[in-house]
Amino acid sequence: MSERHAIFINIEIDPAIAADAAIAAKLAEVCPVDIFSATDSTIALVPENLDECVLCNLCVDAAPPGGVKIIKLYE
Amino acid sequence: MRFYEFESRRIVERAGIPVTKYGFCKTADEARRSATEIGGPTVIKSQVLTGGRMKAGGVKFADTPDQAAEYADEILQLEIAGHLPVGVLVDPKAEVEQEYYAAVLWDGRAKRPMLLFSDMGGIDIEAVAEEHPDHVGRAHISNLHPIFDFEAKQAVARCGMTGSELGRASRILAALAHLQRDYDMTLAEINPVARLTDGSFVALDAHMEMEDEAVGRHRKFLESIGVDLAEPREMYQPSEFERNVKAIDAADHRGVIQGKDHGFHGNLGLVIGAGGGSLTLTDAVRSQGGKPANYAEIGGNPSVAKSCGLAKQVLQKEGVDKIAVMMSIVSNTRVDIVARGVIKACLELGKDPGETIAIFRIPGAWEDEGYKILDHYGVEYCDRSVSMWEAAGRAVAKVQGGAA
């Protein structure tokens, strides 16, 4: 009965950009449902918000090519 | 917006309709003073926004001011259907020769106000209309044109009234029609209108309901008759389900959910909405033998969390076997997001979405993405080629076929 996160969506971040403070800030800024959190100049995912992903791809566009991948767990 | 009886009395009085001398009192001492001013026997009535006052002991007849105070003291402490009174109304025990019924209500089917009058007042008008239809006069009036007194007269005359009585009763009904229009009332009812022994007509009890959307427009008027606009005016105490749904809605600005379960005791939970879809779908379920466990409204593109929250509340209601997730056609709500929400609710409660969701019929924005999710979890769904009626019928058939 416990709350389950990330049933439908997962996000993969390329480790090469995870520590980039500028990209971290940008991802946190563009995501409309607060999936990304920029803390200590690194990017972190907010697990409880993953399933709120609206598939807008703003994060994909904000990161260098291949830096962020949205994975639909139901496909 | 519903009004207490004493407020309705003030509204009626402002409209120029005669009323008996009355007093709204918050203490036993005030009730004694009021009864003294009125003189003679009085009626002490609890001021609560719920029915069944007489049966619950919220209406008592007093012969003296001291007795009025004693009864007021009792009634002020008496809880009726979960409501404590905001005060008591002290009324004279009128010498009534005959009671009538007068109302102006909004006829949703005709989309016009309807005048109603009966010479059998003081009792349930629905019963009178059914058993004595010749004693109920009706007439629709225009939304746009001025209200003419002859229209009220025609409605009253249909009950067989003539002469000076016809004139006096018609003036009350016409005044009620003006009141209904001027103050955006969805219901303006006086029951009973009484003909006293001196031949005069007075309103003995009134029931007013104002269109909620119009409350702001009439703020000054409402304040002038002492209405506290900050006070919640529920007809009944919200259930745990209703409180929880409200809290979930308030916690997240995305989308809107509402849930009611007052009077619903069925086994089919409803997660429904979209532009009148909730009413249509509830009717479709009931008309096909289904028993809804609740009424709901969901729309405005709610988040997954909000959709999930509503579905969980519905699923956790006692007696719910399955839920039906249905809307008309949505452009401002994403199908895939609602699908995620209701499936998540099932999973978090340890239920199989494919077994628990009787039908998913939400055609509209991002439906293809929604269908992928529903396919993945084995949930039966349909698109707009299946009518709301048919979808509701499938849900009813499924829930009647066995529990999840």
Side-chain angles (χ1 to χ4, degrees):
Chain A
M1 299 276 181
S2 61
E3 284 198 18
R4 296 160 54 141
H5 304 310
I7 297 171
F8 306 100
I9 301 292
N10 198 10
I11 305 269
E12 284 183 0
I13 303 171
D14 186 339
I17 65 161
D20 187 316
I23 294 174
K26 205 168 178 184
L27 290 174
E29 184 191 339
V30 299
C31 180
V33 291
D34 300 330
I35 287 174
F36 302 95
S37 165
T39 51
D40 299 331
S41 304
T42 62
I43 193 73
L45 294 172
V46 181
E48 60 267 33
N49 288 345
L50 278 168
D51 279 336
E52 297 289 352
C53 175
V54 291
L55 307 174
C56 63
N57 281 336
L58 288 172
C59 54
V60 175
D61 296 339
V68 172
K69 285 181 187 163
I70 300 171
I71 298 158
K72 298 175 187 172
L73 300 173
Y74 49 88
E75 282 187 337
Chain B
M1 179 186 202
R2 284 168 58 86
F3 294 98
Y4 292 101
E5 185 186 354
F6 74 96
E7 294 168 339
S8 295
R9 193 74 65 87
R10 288 173 182 167
I11 294 169
V12 162
E13 203 174 4
R14 288 283 185 97
I17 295 170
V19 298
T20 50
K21 196 170 183 180
Y22 65 95
F24 170 64
C25 311
K26 292 190 169 183
T27 65
D29 280 343
E30 285 179 14
R32 182 185 289 107
R33 278 199 295 276
S34 186
T36 305
E37 283 173 20
I38 289 169
T42 51
V43 189
I44 318 301
K45 298 173 171 176
S46 174
Q47 294 301 287
V48 284
L49 290 176
T50 186
R53 288 182 303 177
M54 180 70 93
K55 203 174 174 184
V59 178
K60 294 196 172 184
F61 298 90
D63 291 325
T64 63
D66 282 343
Q67 203 173 28
E70 181 191 331
Y71 289 157
D73 192 41
E74 287 173 21
I75 291 172
L76 285 166
Q77 297 171 60
L78 180 69
E79 191 176 288
I80 302 175
H83 293 252
L84 272 173
V86 294
V88 293
L89 188 69
V90 180
D91 257 345
K93 195 175 167 192
E95 296 295 325
V96 178
E97 274 199 341
Q98 186 168 354
E99 293 186 334
Y100 303 88
Y101 173 93
V104 183
L105 51 88
W106 178 252
D107 183 343
R109 287 191 177 179
K111 295 186 171 59
R112 301 168 78 184
M114 181 167 71
L115 310 180
L116 266 179
F117 193 86
S118 173
D119 59 349
M120 296 178 74
I123 53 175
D124 182 15
I125 190 64
E126 282 85 2
V128 176
E130 198 166 308
E131 293 161 22
H132 307 281
D134 52 325
H135 284 268
V136 179
R138 296 181 179 83
H140 284 99
I141 54 175
S142 167
N143 288 315
L144 303 172
H145 297 144
I147 298 165
F148 296 106
D149 288 352
F150 80 84
E151 294 172 298
K153 207 166 196 174
Q154 283 177 339
V156 176
R158 286 185 183 123
C159 300
M161 288 177 73
T162 56
S164 62
E165 283 185 2
L166 172 62
R168 287 175 183 175
S170 299
R171 277 194 287 280
I172 288 181
L173 188 59
L176 204 55
H178 285 283
L179 180 166
Q180 187 267 343
R181 177 181 290 185
D182 292 346
Y183 296 117
D184 295 297
M185 296 294 180
T186 52
L187 173 66
E189 178 187 76
I190 304 175
N191 188 22
V193 174
R195 189 182 77 227
L196 303 181
T197 46
D198 63 2
S200 63
F201 279 65
V202 294
L204 286 189
D205 195 353
H207 178 184
M208 301 285 143
E209 289 185 21
M210 182 181 277
E211 169 61 48
D212 286 339
E213 303 297 328
V215 169
R217 190 158 56 236
H218 299 297
R219 184 174 295 273
K220 278 188 180 171
F221 166 72
L222 294 171
E223 285 170 354
S224 77
I225 59 166
V227 173
D228 180 1
L229 292 169
E231 181 201 335
R233 297 198 167 207
E234 300 283 353
M235 280 178 69
Y236 57 89
Q237 291 296 318
S239 67
E240 186 183 358
F241 169 80
E242 291 169 354
R243 288 195 303 273
N244 289 347
V245 171
K246 197 170 185 179
I248 292 165
D249 186 52
D252 187 342
H253 69 279
R254 295 167 290 183
V256 179
I257 57 169
Q258 288 184 43
K260 300 277 181 194
D261 67 346
H262 187 79
F264 289 93
H265 307 288
N267 58 351
L268 180 61
L270 299 180
V271 178
I272 52 179
S278 291
L279 286 173
T280 308
L281 286 158
T282 304
D283 284 347
V285 167
R286 295 178 75 156
S287 299
Q288 295 178 83
K291 292 179 180 152
N294 66 291
Y295 176 80
E297 287 179 354
I298 180 167
N301 210 24
S303 62
V304 173
K306 194 174 262 190
S307 307
C308 174
L310 173 63
K312 277 172 95 169
Q313 290 301 318
V314 175
L315 279 166
Q316 288 177 107
K317 271 184 59 66
E318 196 180 333
V320 169
D321 294 328
K322 293 178 188 292
I323 57 170
V325 185
M326 306 183 286
M327 295 190 189
S328 49
I329 295 178
V330 292
S331 59
N332 67 340
T333 294
R334 277 183 49 168
V335 177
D336 61 328
I337 299 293
V338 178
R340 284 189 215 170
V342 294
I343 288 170
K344 194 167 188 170
C346 294
L347 296 174
E348 287 187 356
L349 294 173
K351 294 174 181 286
D352 177 353
E355 289 294 321
T356 308
I357 301 172
I359 191 80
F360 186 104
R361 184 209 181 270
I362 307 182
W366 290 70
E367 62 185 16
D368 290 340
E369 197 67 30
Y371 298 157
K372 286 182 201 169
I373 298 168
L374 296 162
D375 271 332
H376 183 77
Y377 286 95
V379 175
E380 181 183 340
Y381 62 88
C382 50
D383 61 17
R384 68 195 69 191
S385 66
V386 174
S387 69
M388 288 192 280
W389 172 268
E390 192 180 338
R394 287 189 197 176
V396 170
K398 229 174 195 182
V399 79
Q400 287 176 346

